[in-house]
Amino acid sequence: MLHELFALRRHLGQLGNNLNQVAKALNSGADAPQAEAVLAAVQRAAKRVDAFTQHHLDNRRAR
């Protein structure tokens, strides 16, 4: 479980950096062709967090 949490944290940090780069580009008037890919990755990560949380809660209930 701890390994998965650290992996999620690392991945979310990378996504945060990418999202900040997209925001910076858009705020400066530049194009950000990677914006959709970054947002899709954020959605996948959120689903991963939800699945991990649900799995953990289900295991706690089973005890």
Side-chain angles (χ1 to χ4, degrees):
M1 179 172 69
L2 196 55
H3 174 74
E4 180 68 10
L5 287 173
F6 278 114
L8 282 168
R9 183 177 178 202
R10 184 174 50 254
H11 186 65
L12 290 172
Q14 293 166 345
L15 288 174
N17 287 337
N18 292 345
L19 196 54
N20 284 338
Q21 290 172 357
V22 166
K24 183 178 178 182
L26 292 174
N27 286 334
S28 71
D31 288 334
Q34 72 278 26
E36 284 188 42
V38 170
L39 292 175
V42 169
Q43 276 189 318
R44 287 191 306 272
K47 287 180 183 179
R48 186 175 166 197
V49 169
D50 288 345
F52 176 79
T53 303
Q54 189 61 52
H55 177 75
H56 179 69
L57 289 174
D58 291 345
N59 283 344
R60 289 190 73 171
R61 288 184 193 128
R63 291 181 192 172

